Amino acid sequence: MLDEPAQPPRSERIARYILVVSVLFLIVALLGSFIKVSYAVESPGPVTDTLGELDDGTQLVRVDGAKTYPTEGELYFTTVRILGGPERHISVWEWVQGHLDPDSRVVPEDKVFGEDRSAEEVEELNAALMEGSQHTSIAVALRSLGEEVGQENVVARIAKKMPAAGALRLEDVIVSVDGERPGSLEELVNAIADREVGEEVTLEVRRDGRTRTVTLETADIGNDRAGVGVVLEPKYDYPYEVRIDAGHVGGPSAGMMFALAVRDRLTPGAMTGGKSVAGTGTIADSGQIGPIGGIRQKMVGARQADARWFLAPEDNCSAVVGNVPDGLGVVAVDTYDDAVTAVEGIAKGETADLPTCEDAA
């Protein structure tokens, strides 16, 4: 009878097992670090007080040519920090960490950056959106105070192979649609779209000081919506100079908070009553507040900054309900007037009747 081979000591077997597991873990870790995926991680970003000062001591919102008033409290605009992008895909480990973090959200890159855009193109687009948002917020705030703000709606971009190509030019001013003069950019766009695809639209256009009439057959610009293939933007004539400097933040989602800050600077007393109010939302020249992305992360960022109240676009309310951080009150707003009413109510402590996202939903 042959003798069985001697087994190595138990301690040696455990050491070998640990070594094998460690090597396997190292391999997995390296693979997770080097394998990239086309996703982005959204997490709470920093907040900025629109009533505050820049690093050089100047105010974020500055007015020249009109009386301004001291204020207190905070009107924060909120941001989302993005990890990943077209030229810096996240690793598998970052993807895993994003899913494990309850305050983060993992989304496909094209949902954040669009398709076939470079990081530089995304940055340029966000800078343009931020600039446009600032201009519109100033106009809305001044008009709410009874100021006259001149406005022209100009052609900013023309899509290729669309009806406007060859018929309209950049910087053309759209004066009227079918003989009617819309009061806002939103009304102008809706007036063009208010027909079946393929029907004609007549535009009165001012170019180089001369007015002409252009009749175009509309095309489908998406979702069976009629259009001519142009991007329009307003150009304003303010009664005095108002400047907003938000640093390197991009995108249009701070528009509502900028408009509130401009109003606060131009009216006596502290609009917030010394309280901390955060919020987010785009703003149209009609005063309509539009939805934004990353609402959950923005609420978390606001609460981390110790804000007690948050203004949320009504169209974002489905993502707000059930996700509000402890200690944060959320008010649903649909227009700029709603936002003004909300802040003034918070300042007075009269918040019981302010609309919530539960009400809106």
Side-chain angles (χ1 to χ4, degrees), residues 25-236:
F25 179 81
L26 179 60
I27 292 172
V28 171
L30 289 172
L31 289 175
S33 298
F34 285 104
I35 297 176
K36 305 296 182 179
V37 292
S38 298
Y39 286 84
V41 179
E42 296 179 342
S43 60
V47 304
T48 300
D49 181 16
T50 57
L51 301 177
E53 296 181 345
L54 303 173
D55 292 339
D56 62 3
T58 59
Q59 294 176 342
L60 188 144
V61 175
R62 288 163 286 172
V63 179
D64 293 322
K67 183 176 177 56
T68 59
Y69 300 87
T71 188
E72 58 182 346
E74 291 84 29
L75 285 171
Y76 290 123
F77 76 79
T78 51
T79 64
V80 174
R81 181 177 284 110
I82 305 293
L83 178 64
E87 297 171 11
R88 196 282 192 197
H89 302 306
I90 63 172
S91 69
V92 170
W93 281 122
E94 290 169 329
W95 181 88
V96 171
Q97 291 167 356
H99 280 287
L100 294 176
D101 182 357
D103 293 333
S104 296
R105 183 173 75 133
V106 180
V107 295
E109 277 182 359
D110 59 5
K111 295 294 184 183
V112 180
F113 301 96
E115 296 183 1
D116 301 323
R117 282 186 183 148
S118 67
E120 183 178 357
E121 289 171 333
V122 171
E123 185 176 351
E124 289 177 355
L125 175 61
N126 282 332
L129 290 172
M130 169 59 85
E131 183 178 0
S133 174
Q134 292 172 351
H135 293 164
T136 300
S137 66
I138 294 168
V140 171
L142 295 185
R143 286 170 177 164
S144 76
L145 297 173
E147 300 283 6
E148 290 290 332
V149 178
Q151 178 174 340
E152 292 183 338
N153 299 309
V154 304
V155 176
R157 280 186 289 173
I158 303 174
K160 297 178 180 179
K161 300 181 180 180
M162 292 294 283
L168 298 179
R169 297 180 185 175
L170 297 180
E171 298 298 320
D172 278 354
V173 178
I174 308 300
V175 178
S176 69
V177 180
D178 295 330
E180 299 291 330
R181 293 180 176 241
S184 69
L185 178 62
E186 187 177 22
E187 291 174 355
L188 190 158
V189 172
N190 288 336
I192 295 175
D194 188 23
R195 67 200 72 238
E196 297 294 325
V197 172
E199 292 182 353
E200 291 185 341
V201 60
T202 299
L203 306 175
E204 184 181 356
V205 179
R206 187 168 68 250
R207 180 189 303 165
D208 299 329
R210 301 178 61 183
T211 302
R212 66 194 68 202
T213 299
V214 179
T215 299
L216 302 172
E217 182 179 306
T218 59
D220 183 359
I221 59 173
N223 299 319
D224 293 323
R225 183 174 171 86
V228 296
V230 296
V231 174
L232 303 172
E233 67 179 25
K235 286 193 173 181
Y236 302 107

